[in-house]
Amino acid sequence: MPAPIFFLFHSLFMAASGIVLAAAVLSLALLSRQGQRLHILLLLSVVPATLAALVLPFSGLRTAGSLFFLSFLQGVLIGPIISLAPLTRLKNTPSTWATTAQELGANKSARFRLLWFPLLGTALAIGLFLALLLSLLGTFALMRATLP
């Protein structure tokens, strides 16, 4: 595979795996109503995980299978910083809003579409921007580590 295409694939796969992890964290926070605890855990892990994601390419993994695993692992490590902005917005939203929407007859999809998505829209855009930015930084770190 030509190098530019490989690095593009690495960047996209890293961003996608981070976004999937962030979506899982946000879904868990919405379903379990444990946003405060998840927020504290994310705050504790943001800096070490992000630094580990950017330093990981210099660890010496060089085979094709390990590079696939490396991009996945980097994506998982940037997941906390991607989910931090939406989770902070979710934590600051009064919990009675979801209950009120449910009592007014909104099902789960209507609550997501009419309540959560508009509330979290800007924070989700910030998370997406961070995912793309950090995946590019991770790809540049991998390029720097693999080039002589």
Side-chain angles (χ1 to χ4, degrees):
M1 181 181 305
I5 294 173
F6 170 75
F7 289 124
L8 176 67
F9 173 75
H10 177 272
S11 181
L12 291 176
F13 187 71
M14 181 179 167
S17 55
I19 289 169
V20 167
L21 178 68
V25 167
L26 290 174
S27 299
L28 182 66
L30 279 172
L31 293 174
S32 69
R33 302 179 196 265
Q34 296 295 321
Q36 180 69 28
R37 289 186 179 135
L38 285 172
H39 187 261
I40 291 170
L41 284 172
L42 286 177
L43 282 175
L44 292 173
S45 66
V46 162
V47 173
T50 305
L51 287 176
L54 296 178
V55 172
L56 198 60
F58 299 101
S59 67
L61 298 172
R62 296 290 181 260
T63 64
S66 65
L67 289 177
F68 174 76
F69 178 71
L70 175 72
S71 60
F72 174 74
L73 189 58
Q74 281 182 299
V76 168
L77 288 171
I78 66 169
I81 199 166
I82 295 170
S83 59
L84 190 61
L87 195 60
T88 301
R89 180 70 174 130
L90 184 66
K91 181 184 74 91
N92 294 333
T93 303
S95 61
T96 57
W97 288 5
T99 307
T100 303
Q102 184 176 5
E103 289 174 357
L104 290 173
N107 59 13
K108 287 184 180 187
S109 66
R111 280 183 298 213
F112 176 76
R113 190 172 28 94
L114 300 173
L115 176 67
W116 296 119
F117 190 69
L119 282 173
L120 299 174
T122 305
L124 290 172
I126 291 169
L128 182 62
F129 174 75
L130 283 173
L132 295 175
L133 178 70
L134 288 172
S135 68
L136 288 175
L137 286 175
T139 301
F140 287 138
L142 180 64
M143 287 172 43
R144 179 90 170 157
T146 57
L147 295 177

